[in-house]
Amino acid sequence: MLWILFLSTILGLSSSLENGLVRTPPMGWMSWERFRCNTDCTTYPEDCISERLFREMADMLEVGGYKEVGYQYIIIDDCWLDHTRDKDGKLQPDPQRFPSGIRNLSDYVHKLGLKFGIYEDYGNLTCGGYPGVLGHMETDANTFADWQVDYVKLDGCYSDPDTMITGYPEFGRYLNKTGRPMVYSCSWPAYQIGHNPNYTAISEHCNLWRNFDDIEDSWASLLSIIDFYGDDKDKFGSVAGPGHWNDPDMLIIGNYGLSVDQAQVQMGMWCLMAAPLIMSNDLRKMRPEFAEILLNRDAIKINQDPLGVQASRILRQGYIDVYSKPILPSYQNKYSVAIGFLNRWTSGTPIRVSFALSELGLNHPSGYSAFDIFSGKPLGNFSPKSTFTADVNPSGFLLVRFNLLPGRIRKTGSRSEIGKLNLQFPGLTGWKTEL
Ligand code: GLA
């Protein structure tokens, strides 16, 4: 039996995806949230879904310093296709908007040292009404390989969600069969919300997958996604890891709907959740305060941590949600930890948070050095018993990296269960400060 398993693995016959890609969450840019299905290039030449848009964004990844910090994939979302297949049944792009063809665009992206991604749909039609892959899976996988595609997002409109358990793996097998490594992004569980998606199968067959609703350009939308992840009713958090990631959808930082603090919430949470960092914004018009958040190397380092563990929500108390993610370096079987404090309160004044480190599970006796990711400031060294105090802005985020300090263990046995925060609401004594 073991021999069969061994042989099938080395011959590449194994039915699961394991293509060796995205050992850390993918980073890049995608058109959908910001540019949608704008196909009117006469009225909107700069913003319509066209080869010009993707070329300009590829240029901007380079010029804006995004490539240097790890953003790599340029991904076309919906509405790139012509409404009909060609005479051989192959997909073809809209000839007016992509006159040079997809292979040409992919070459352009590759010449910049970037990678190229494309969108299709598992059903009869894409969500925007263009041809889907159903009935053409092998042809389409081969077409993508011919076009030197590196990443495929396969959406799930116009299909039967009950067939996804066989259909998504089938397309994945055709991708593998081409011999070209392509990241496989599935929307499978997003079409089964509330119906117990089979996350074991999903994580075996896809490199990443959308779990929940589309992100919109608003704080409300952002919070609803964060809460879906914090609640984690389907226990998808535990299946994330190198090569397979939950995808809470695109980064909307730099668009219209988030304040600078709220943008830090998204960046901080996406980094803690080991989420793909796929921006959808206009890099040509990025305000510097948002670029700074997107380019924050210390935040990205948490996202790209080789352990690949997705943060879990360890505490909710009085408008503050606490998320914790184990990261490297490790020492004597204990890990360093990144902790995020999300302040959901919109009552205009920061909340002061204080706690003994051991209350949040930071109990290694040799202690931790703390670093505030968004201010870029070291906060000093702490033992498990020391008190840590900081302010968290309204609808804002405090992201702290607690690096384990190597040292001789003098005693063990400090408490490890999660305890309580001490919260202060300055200027609001007597007001309702508990949820
Ligand atoms: C769905 C997906 C989005 C986007 C659109 C395109 O809504 O979830 O991310 O791809 O389709 O039509």
Side-chain angles (χ1 to χ4, degrees):
M1 199 49 204
L2 273 177
W3 268 106
I4 296 175
L5 197 68
F6 175 68
L7 274 176
S8 70
T9 307
I10 56 167
L11 293 174
L13 302 174
S14 152
S15 65
S16 76
L17 179 74
E18 210 35 271
N19 53 13
L21 299 171
V22 289
R23 307 311 294 174
T24 60
M27 297 174 64
W29 184 92
M30 190 188 276
S31 49
W32 182 255
E33 197 289 323
R34 175 62 181 81
F35 294 97
R36 303 281 155 160
C37 192
N38 182 349
T39 54
D40 180 357
C41 293
T42 313
T43 321
Y44 303 100
E46 285 183 6
D47 291 354
C48 64
I49 300 302
S50 69
E51 58 183 47
R52 171 179 171 183
L53 181 71
F54 296 97
R55 288 216 171 105
E56 290 185 359
M57 291 305 166
D59 292 345
M60 286 312 301
L61 279 191
E62 168 103 59
V63 175
Y66 299 94
K67 176 178 143 188
E68 204 186 316
V69 299
Y71 295 92
Q72 196 182 19
Y73 291 92
I74 285 283
I75 306 159
I76 309 183
D77 208 288
D78 204 352
C79 306
W80 61 273
L81 280 157
D82 192 35
H83 278 288
T84 52
R85 290 172 176 270
D86 74 8
K87 59 178 179 8
D88 302 317
K90 290 187 183 168
L91 295 169
Q92 51 185 351
D94 179 280
Q96 261 81 49
R97 292 180 286 117
F98 293 86
S100 322
I102 301 294
R103 175 61 199 263
N104 189 289
L105 180 55
S106 144
D107 285 349
Y108 184 88
V109 168
H110 287 135
K111 277 193 194 120
L112 288 170
L114 299 168
K115 293 194 163 155
F116 179 70
I118 209 160
Y119 166 100
E120 245 296 359
D121 189 287
Y122 161 65
N124 286 312
L125 297 171
T126 72
C127 299
Y130 296 86
V133 304
L134 211 59
H136 305 267
M137 285 192 184
E138 185 161 19
T139 311
D140 294 350
N142 288 336
T143 303
F144 293 155
D146 289 346
W147 288 343
Q148 306 282 289
V149 167
D150 303 297
Y151 178 122
V152 178
K153 168 176 173 179
L154 197 68
D155 209 343
C157 276
Y158 300 103
S159 74
D160 174 1
D162 289 342
T163 65
M164 289 179 175
I165 185 113
T166 51
Y168 268 95
E170 190 183 353
F171 189 71
R173 278 193 293 279
Y174 286 122
L175 288 179
N176 268 357
K177 213 175 138 195
T178 65
R180 181 172 177 83
M182 288 183 258
V183 175
Y184 187 26
S185 162
C186 304
S187 298
W188 172 2
Y191 288 85
Q192 298 179 345
I193 300 170
H195 294 91
N196 256 322
N198 181 340
Y199 275 107
T200 311
I202 292 163
S203 65
E204 270 168 23
H205 293 287
C206 305
N207 289 120
L208 61 150
W209 49 86
R210 285 278 310 285
N211 318 66
F212 191 53
D213 296 343
D214 289 3
I215 197 160
E216 304 267 335
D217 195 5
S218 76
W219 173 238
S221 165
L222 177 59
L223 258 194
S224 73
I225 295 174
I226 291 173
D227 287 344
F228 185 81
Y229 269 59
D231 295 343
D232 194 9
K233 292 206 178 89
D234 297 319
K235 303 265 174 290
F236 52 80
S238 56
V239 300
H244 36 96
W245 311 100
N246 289 295
D247 176 9
D249 213 0
M250 292 157 251
L251 291 170
I252 54 168
I253 297 167
N255 295 331
Y256 309 100
L258 300 184
S259 68
V260 170
D261 279 282
Q262 291 166 351
Q264 290 180 348
V265 171
Q266 189 181 28
M267 188 68 181
M269 279 304 307
W270 263 233
C271 290
L272 287 175
M273 296 189 300
L277 299 181
I278 311 283
M279 306 178 279
S280 188
N281 46 19
D282 193 342
L283 297 173
R284 301 164 301 192
K285 298 175 183 162
M286 186 59 60
R287 279 174 274 171
E289 61 271 31
F290 291 116
E292 192 185 319
I293 294 170
L294 291 162
L295 294 168
N296 185 314
R297 287 177 191 264
D298 297 309
I300 292 171
K301 193 171 173 202
I302 292 172
N303 175 266
Q304 297 286 303
D305 185 85
L307 290 178
V309 179
Q310 182 175 318
S312 42
R313 192 176 63 206
I314 57 168
L315 193 60
R316 303 196 94 174
Q317 200 189 317
Y319 296 96
I320 298 284
D321 290 352
V322 184
Y323 286 82
S324 169
K325 171 179 162 69
I327 50 176
L328 293 177
S330 66
Y331 179 63
Q332 289 170 336
N333 298 323
K334 292 274 184 186
Y335 292 98
S336 302
V337 186
I339 299 213
F341 299 85
L342 164 63
N343 182 354
R344 319 168 65 88
W345 214 25
T346 49
S347 199
T349 192
I351 295 178
R352 179 152 296 173
V353 174
S354 67
F355 57 93
L357 258 61
S358 62
E359 297 284 349
L360 295 186
L362 299 170
N363 58 5
H364 194 277
S366 42
Y368 301 80
S369 70
F371 184 82
D372 180 337
I373 299 294
F374 290 118
S375 74
K377 289 198 180 118
L379 302 172
N381 291 353
F382 294 83
S383 78
K385 283 188 182 157
S386 348
T387 301
F388 179 97
T389 303
D391 290 341
V392 194
N393 291 350
S395 68
F397 206 67
L398 172 71
L399 179 57
V400 183
R401 185 182 176 105
F402 289 96
N403 262 14
L404 263 179
L405 291 170
R408 193 165 58 86
I409 294 196
R410 286 182 298 278
K411 70 179 174 61
T412 51
S414 46
R415 59 181 292 171
S416 61
E417 70 272 27
I418 301 305
K420 255 189 129 209
L421 305 170
N422 174 19
L423 302 179
Q424 287 168 35
F425 300 81
L428 290 158
T429 331
W431 283 61
K432 183 181 174 296
T433 51
E434 288 291 322
L435 280 171

